[in-house]
Structures are given as structure tokens and as C-alpha cells.
Amino acid sequence: MSTPTTERETIAVLDFGSQYSQLILRRVREAHVYAEMLPWDSSPEELDRLDPRGIILSGGPNSVYDDGAPYLTRHVLERGVPILGICYGMQLFAHQLGGRVAQAAQREYGLAQIQVDRPEAPLFRGLPVRQSVWMSHGDRIDALPPGFAPLAHSGNSPLAAIADESRQLYGLQFHPEVVHTEHGRAILERFCRGICGCQAEWTPGSFIDESIARIRETVGDGRVICGVSGGVDSTVVAALVQRAVGDQLTAIYVNTGLMRKNESQETMARFRDQMGLNVVYADATETFLEALQGVEDPERKRMIIGKTFIDVFEQEARGLGQVDFLAQGTLYPDVIESASSHRSAVKIKTHHNVGGLPEDMRMQLIEPLRYLFKDEVREVGVALGLPEEMVYRPPYPGPGLAVRIIGEITHERVATLQEADAIVRAEIEAAGLGREIWQYFAVLTPLLSVGVMGDSRTYANVVAIRAVTSEDGMTADWARIPYEVLARMSSRIVNEVPGVNRVVYDISSKPPATIEWE
């Protein structure tokens, strides 16, 4: 997972607006080849920065005949490197090189079967001649451009894959990056490593070595601070910087009072005892809860927590004297999502653990993870030897339990949710489901329900359990937790958590729901 340089073997992914563009990057990297996304209209200079061994054109929602539709710039074709067009990307170069694209008589969405007509072709060599693939298109190629030949067809797409092997131009009507395309990873690997000649050099070990060397060169004799939460992103950043510059790093842990049960104590123990990290502990519980008093709107909660965090963090940073660098855990999805839909990903979204830092802090940012996805960060964490409970901790929102308490935040309501959430986490882990489920937690709803305990009627809180499976959080499905595990959770919460008499399980997927309840 080495950081990209002009010498690094790289695949450039040009984004034409597909919902699957990030998946292309992930699949290429799973083949241990570095890939980076650029907008479809990137300049020659932007591509020169990457000096790509190959280019992949993503799909997109447009027809090549739409007014203002993205097009394939001439300098991309003239770079002389292999190009793979996916769906709209294939239709683009077919259209611009003299072929004909037309609306399909029958649109093709979802699973389809293709027949590989040239199994000896580099994209399909060694793969079955019949394959299940994922289609998502309304247009199709009716006539090939000069020099192209068909490689595969489906029932509705006579040209499901095409190639001009003399110019190393390849096209797929289906989406190899989607998990439903059974040999999609293999097809992309054949393009990146076979056709483009990239080596399998994108590894956690190489990323660690190069990151440490780069941090040392950047920091020199300077001092670095890093906000740490106990999550994998900030922990990996702190570990990398610590290995690079040692005691020149001071980490700051802010206890907002909105953490999970015993989390602050356990996290500080891991930082100090297992990692040997120089960490400042700031208990700002009362500051946060006072700022949130009477606030119910979730967006206002986020804004208040963000501002309060900045104030506390800045105060702790000032107490350290002269500090030259701020290390934070910006990830590649943050970079991509912060870019406009038409331009390069140059604006970095501020990391949720720090928020919008004041300009007068005047520290230079160090963002060693800014080209990594979450799963790659976990791989680096494992390679660094970090505690497993930190590396595989379920993702946790920056505002903490504030977005899992619907309504007003009080000491009592925080304590109620902490106890219920601890039971959910304990039972999931005891059942051995912690790695299968991406996120699992309890939510304190604003509802009160009638119940019966012993011989008395109760009027008490309703707790919801939320558990989802996901790869990256962009989409998620509710986890099919065994009934006996759900039953234990419900029984324990009702019997062990004062003020709760009813437990419900959320079976909503994302979309249409979100993962959090705020």
C-alpha cells in the first residue's frame, strides 16, 4: 500500500459518475495494484502526476447522446497506455472512435449470463466461457469501431465485451467491480497485472515503510499532535507517527462523556500500556453535557459537539507550547466525497474527530491515510501489531452516543444507553458475530411504553437494537442475528438496565434508512 509517487505503478480510474466508481478502486487494490480516481475531464498534467500504467473508464448515468454528457478527452486516448472502458466508458470510446451506440430494445439491469466468444483473449484467459455478470445499461453498441473485435455476448447485448488488442483498448458492457459478477475480480486483475504489467506491490508492509520515511522527512525536528479516539483510523495514524518520530508526538484524547461504557478507561490503558503512546487525557464530560442541555435536533447536536471539541482540543494543544504539525486520519473516501462532482479531489473533508480547525492554529497537516480505504487501514493496523480490539472496533460516529440518543441528552439518558449498548456488544461478541457484523449498537428512543414487571405496571423507555452488515458503509443490510442471541439481549436489557421495559430490533436496510438513527 505504498503512497503514490511518479515511480509507483498506478492505474488511473476516470470517474464518469457511476455509483460503482469507488468499487473499481477497491477491486484493483485487492489485486495489490495502486489505483487512484480522477474526474473524467482531468487535465494532461493531472494524469502526468500519476503516470498511469493503465486507465479504467467508469460507468455513468448518461447516454453518449445526452446534451452535456461527459466525453472522452483526446489526451487520454493519446497516452498510449491500455484502457478498459466499463459500461458507459466502453460506449464512449466506441462512439468516439467511429462505432455506433443505440438505445437497446430491452434494457438490461441485474444479473445476466454472458458467453465468452474468444476465451484466449487476455481479459478472459483461463476463465469459464459462461459467466454470471451484473448489467446496468439502457444503451448498447450496435456497430464496432474500426479495429475492434467482439469478445463476448449476452442475450440482450451482442457486444458484451470488445477489444482492439493492437491499441490495447478493451470494453465491458457489464460491471466487473460489482460482487455479483462472479469473475469480475479476476477480469480486473488480468487487465491491471496482465495487460498493463503492474506488479503486486500495494501491500501494508511497503505502505508502512514509505509512510514512516515520509513522515520523518516532513517533520524533521518539529513537534506533532494527534487527536485520538480509540478508533482504527486515529490509532493507526498515531502508531505511524510514533514509529517515525517517537516522543516528538503527543496524542490528545478528549472524553466527551458520550463514549460507550468504560471506553475511555480501556482506550487510555491500551494507548499507554500496549502502545507506549504519550497521550494527554482531557475529561470534558461536563462541558459537553452542559452545551447539549435542552437540545434535541440532531444536526444542532452535531454542530455543538464539533465546536465544543475544537475548543477543548485547541485548549489542550495550546498547553503543549509550540506545535508544528497536526496528524489526522483523513481517508480516501473523505477525499473523494469532498471533491465536486466534476473536478479533481483536491478539497479535503475535515476529519470528524477534529472538525474545522481554526486558522490561527497554523499547523501543517499530516494525513498518512488519505489514499486508503477503511479495510486497507485495518490491514495496516494488523501489520503494525496494534491490539485487535482497536483494529476491528466497529465504526463509531464522531459525536458518539449523542446521535444514538433520540431527544435530549442528559446524564441519566447517557447512562441508560451505555448500559444497554454494553449488553448488545457483549452478546454479539460472545456469539462470535463481531467480525461478521459491520456495526452493532443500541439506540435510546424518545418513546415510553407501558409494561408489567412483577405485579406492577411500568411506563419506561424503549431501546432499539441496530446491527448491519456492510463492506464500506455506503450501503448496508440488517444483520440476521440468531433469535436466541436477540432473546438474550432483550432479556438482559430489560432486567439489568433500570428504566427500560421494551426492546425492538431494526430490520431496515440502507437505503432507504441510514445506519444511525439520528
Side-chain angles (χ1 to χ4, degrees):
M1 296 177 180
S2 312
T3 299
T5 67
T6 52
E7 294 83 24
R8 176 62 50 199
E9 292 178 345
T10 300
I11 299 295
V13 177
L14 298 188
D15 180 22
F16 288 88
S18 170
Q19 61 180 317
Y20 303 133
S21 294
Q22 285 197 36
L23 284 179
I24 301 173
L25 288 174
R26 296 172 67 87
R27 299 297 175 248
V28 173
R29 292 181 180 192
E30 285 169 4
H32 301 293
V33 175
Y34 181 73
E36 190 170 330
M37 187 187 298
L38 293 174
W40 63 270
D41 57 349
S42 291
S43 67
E45 292 75 23
E46 288 174 297
L47 276 171
D48 287 343
R49 175 181 66 84
L50 293 184
D51 190 23
R53 286 289 190 95
I55 297 172
I56 298 177
L57 313 177
S58 83
N62 296 92
S63 165
V64 296
Y65 298 109
D66 288 346
D67 290 338
Y71 56 90
L72 185 57
T73 54
R74 177 174 293 183
H75 68 82
V76 171
L77 287 169
E78 291 176 349
R79 290 196 73 87
V81 298
I83 298 177
L84 173 64
I86 296 174
C87 198
Y88 180 76
M90 176 178 92
Q91 295 166 12
L92 264 184
F93 67 62
H95 173 63
Q96 293 182 215
L97 293 176
R100 186 173 67 249
V101 176
Q103 188 173 35
Q106 183 175 346
R107 295 185 176 190
E108 216 170 6
Y109 293 100
L111 280 175
Q113 293 287 320
I114 64 166
Q115 175 78 35
V116 178
D117 303 310
R118 289 189 55 210
E120 76 282 2
L123 277 182
F124 296 106
R125 190 172 295 142
L127 298 179
V129 294
R130 288 191 61 80
Q131 302 179 22
S132 293
V133 301
W134 188 262
M135 294 282 193
S136 181
H137 66 96
D139 290 351
R140 72 181 191 186
I141 298 174
D142 273 0
L144 285 172
F148 280 80
L151 299 182
H153 70 275
S154 72
N156 292 317
S157 296
L159 300 170
I162 62 174
D164 180 342
E165 293 183 14
S166 64
R167 288 190 286 177
Q168 293 189 298
L169 301 177
Y170 300 85
L172 301 172
Q173 184 63 76
F174 56 90
H175 289 271
E177 70 274 23
V178 175
V179 68
H180 305 293
T181 298
E182 59 180 337
H183 297 290
R185 285 181 172 87
I187 292 170
L188 287 171
E189 183 173 348
R190 279 158 173 72
F191 175 74
C192 298
R193 295 177 59 180
I195 295 170
C196 299
C198 295
Q199 302 300 308
E201 296 178 340
W202 180 244
T203 65
S206 61
F207 173 84
I208 291 168
D209 292 342
E210 293 190 18
S211 294
I212 289 173
R214 189 175 59 260
I215 292 167
R216 282 177 181 156
E217 180 181 359
T218 301
V219 172
D221 296 328
R223 294 187 64 197
V224 188
I225 60 170
C226 176
V228 290
S229 65
V232 65
D233 303 338
S234 61
T235 302
V236 169
V237 168
L240 284 171
V241 176
Q242 181 192 38
R243 290 203 181 184
V245 299
D247 291 341
Q248 292 167 245
L249 167 70
T250 301
I252 299 174
Y253 179 90
V254 177
N255 180 3
T256 64
L258 301 167
M259 312 303 285
R260 291 172 286 202
K261 183 179 180 181
N262 298 328
E263 186 157 33
S264 291
Q265 300 94 310
E266 293 169 358
T267 298
M268 287 297 296
R270 293 186 191 111
F271 283 146
R272 289 172 172 164
D273 301 339
Q274 294 179 263
M275 294 178 61
L277 193 64
N278 178 23
V279 57
V280 172
Y281 176 77
D283 188 350
T285 298
E286 295 305 322
T287 301
F288 278 87
L289 292 183
E290 285 178 17
L292 289 166
Q293 188 173 359
V295 178
E296 297 188 7
D297 179 74
E299 196 55 39
R300 278 199 63 208
K301 288 180 188 176
R302 281 188 176 274
M303 293 176 64
I304 290 169
I305 292 168
K307 181 182 182 305
T308 305
F309 189 99
I310 294 167
D311 292 343
V312 174
F313 188 88
E314 185 181 14
Q315 180 180 348
E316 296 296 329
R318 279 199 302 265
L320 297 173
Q322 176 62 37
V323 176
D324 308 289
F325 299 91
L326 169 66
Q328 63 177 15
T330 305
L331 302 190
Y332 198 39
D334 300 332
V335 176
I336 294 170
E337 290 166 11
S338 295
S340 72
S341 59
H342 298 294
R343 287 309 310 139
S344 175
V346 292
K347 176 186 174 187
I348 307 302
K349 184 174 76 176
T350 308
H351 189 252
H352 72 271
N353 283 341
V354 176
L357 289 167
E359 291 183 6
D360 59 6
M361 289 188 75
R362 302 194 183 284
M363 290 181 287
Q364 182 179 336
L365 280 179
I366 298 174
E367 297 174 309
L369 309 182
R370 70 186 301 265
Y371 290 103
L372 299 190
F373 289 99
K374 177 74 77 173
D375 54 338
E376 294 172 326
V377 176
R378 294 193 196 282
E379 291 176 22
V380 171
V382 170
L384 285 166
L386 294 177
E388 183 173 306
E389 56 269 25
M390 284 184 156
V391 173
Y392 291 103
R393 190 182 86 157
Y396 191 59
L401 297 182
V403 297
R404 295 175 181 174
I405 296 175
I406 314 303
E408 186 180 2
I409 309 294
T410 65
H411 279 282
E412 181 183 19
R413 300 193 83 210
V414 170
T416 297
L417 182 56
Q418 284 177 331
E419 294 297 330
D421 184 74
I423 291 170
V424 170
R425 290 188 291 128
E427 291 298 336
I428 291 289
E429 290 156 12
L433 301 173
R435 293 286 186 89
E436 297 177 26
I437 302 176
W438 196 67
Q439 282 202 62
Y440 44 93
F441 53 88
V443 176
L444 183 58
T445 78
L447 303 175
L448 297 174
S449 76
V450 174
V452 177
M453 289 188 175
D455 295 324
S456 303
R457 286 167 61 86
T458 60
Y459 193 54
N461 290 294
V462 178
V463 164
I465 296 171
R466 180 71 160 146
V468 297
T469 57
S470 179
E471 187 172 280
D472 51 22
M474 296 170 63
T475 61
D477 194 15
W478 61 278
R480 273 61 171 177
I481 297 175
Y483 290 154
E484 58 270 22
V485 178
L486 288 172
R488 282 197 299 272
M489 289 181 194
S490 177
S491 177
R492 286 192 59 193
I493 290 171
V494 169
N495 284 285
E496 297 176 28
V497 182
V500 178
N501 67 0
R502 191 181 298 268
V503 176
V504 297
Y505 186 50
D506 182 351
I507 60 169
S508 308
S509 297
K510 175 188 177 182
T514 56
I515 293 176
E516 299 292 344
W517 266 48
E518 60 179 318

